[in-house]
Amino acid sequence: RKEVEQDPGPFNVPEGATVAFNCTYSNSASQSFFWYRQDCRKEPKLLMSVYSSGNEDGRFTAQLNRASQYISLLIRDSKLSDSATYLCVVNLIHNNAGNMLTFGGGTRLMVKP
Amino acid sequence: GAGVSQSPSNKVTEKGKDVELRCDPISGHTALYWYRQSLGQGLEFLIYFQGNSAPDKSGLPSDRFSAERTGGSVSTLTIQRTQQEDSAVYLCASSVVPGTSGLNEQFFGPGTRLTVL
């Protein structure tokens, strides 16, 4: 079983749609959670951190359920520019690897006009 | 300011040759990470440096892979006797501190696309 699992998609949605991605992680000792965005043939960039109480950044809402080891990302009013791969990322503070991030395989989103 | 830089951006090599990939982290970032991303796959952690030392080398796929970091700055990832399965994008990231805080963002370089023929 992968440490961080995501539906690879692709999710094809029209502009203006609301779309949600889910992610599960296997290590209950995981301490921090993130969503990164990766455009085609580009490096990943931090989209937002995920807090236990849930957090919102404009059109993006992230939620965490520690009991179920489940993370979600909701995008409202999707734009063409939201087309990218969204990576669920889990941070396990590892004695030897510091701020070690474990990446899911990513969920590809394609927003159509 | 300058971000993480990597060179070369693309490298095509023949099977069996050695390659050296370079990463120049953001100035002042003490932690440096190497990842590998195969086509259509997620990122695979390879190695982490805190300063010049690499406490965790367990992610390196084989003994053909090695990495070093000198002066707490530039890092090189060396792959000896390359194989076709080594073909991937090799990404480097750096962060301010290795992290008792889990919220230190890792900043990624643009990657080196390695193709082994």
Side-chain angles (χ1 to χ4, degrees):
Chain A
R1 184 186 170 189
K2 291 183 181 178
E3 291 189 49
V4 181
E5 296 215 49
Q6 296 181 250
D7 180 344
F11 284 58
N12 295 296
V13 302
E15 268 188 293
T18 295
V19 61
F21 306 138
N22 303 319
C23 162
T24 57
Y25 60 95
S26 61
N27 193 328
S28 60
S30 299
Q31 297 174 312
S32 303
F33 310 89
F34 310 90
W35 285 99
Y36 274 68
R37 170 189 170 135
Q38 186 172 25
D39 291 288
C40 187
R41 300 178 77 88
K42 298 286 189 181
E43 71 273 21
K45 293 184 179 178
L46 179 67
L47 177 66
M48 61 194 302
S49 302
V50 186
Y51 302 111
S52 296
S53 55
N55 50 296
E56 189 173 303
D57 182 1
R59 297 181 294 108
F60 299 83
T61 301
Q63 294 199 314
L64 168 66
N65 184 323
R66 285 187 184 269
S68 301
Q69 296 180 203
Y70 171 98
I71 305 160
S72 66
L73 176 68
L74 182 77
I75 306 175
R76 291 182 300 278
D77 188 24
S78 47
K79 312 291 186 190
L80 295 176
S81 57
D82 294 335
S83 298
T85 296
Y86 291 83
L87 303 168
C88 177
V89 185
V90 170
N91 182 1
L92 176 65
I93 302 297
H94 187 287
N95 287 335
N96 291 326
N99 192 20
M100 179 177 163
L101 301 182
T102 301
F103 287 77
T107 298
R108 189 171 173 207
L109 172 65
M110 298 179 67
V111 181
K112 306 286 190 179
Chain B
V4 178
S5 61
Q6 292 186 246
S7 62
S9 54
N10 281 284
K11 176 72 177 177
V12 180
T13 190
E14 294 179 347
K15 177 181 173 181
K17 301 283 189 183
D18 298 351
V19 296
E20 190 173 278
L21 313 179
R22 175 187 168 111
C23 172
D24 206 332
I26 293 172
S27 177
H29 281 194
T30 59
L32 185 148
Y33 307 80
W34 282 99
Y35 296 87
R36 176 169 74 172
Q37 187 172 31
S38 301
L39 186 63
Q41 303 296 312
L43 275 71
E44 174 189 2
F45 169 78
L46 297 179
I47 190 169
Y48 150 74
F49 286 91
Q50 177 180 343
N52 290 338
S53 65
D56 188 347
K57 301 179 181 180
S58 62
L60 294 176
S62 77
D63 58 9
R64 297 186 293 104
F65 287 71
S66 62
E68 63 176 19
R69 188 181 186 194
T70 55
S73 182
V74 172
S75 174
T76 55
L77 176 69
T78 301
I79 309 172
Q80 296 178 307
R81 305 181 303 281
T82 51
Q83 304 294 312
Q84 288 182 333
E85 62 263 27
D86 299 335
S87 296
V89 176
Y90 289 82
L91 289 157
C92 174
S94 69
S95 67
V96 175
V97 292
T100 50
S101 162
L103 297 181
N104 284 318
E105 180 180 356
Q106 291 189 13
F107 294 84
F108 283 82
T112 293
R113 185 173 298 276
L114 174 66
T115 303
V116 181
L117 302 177

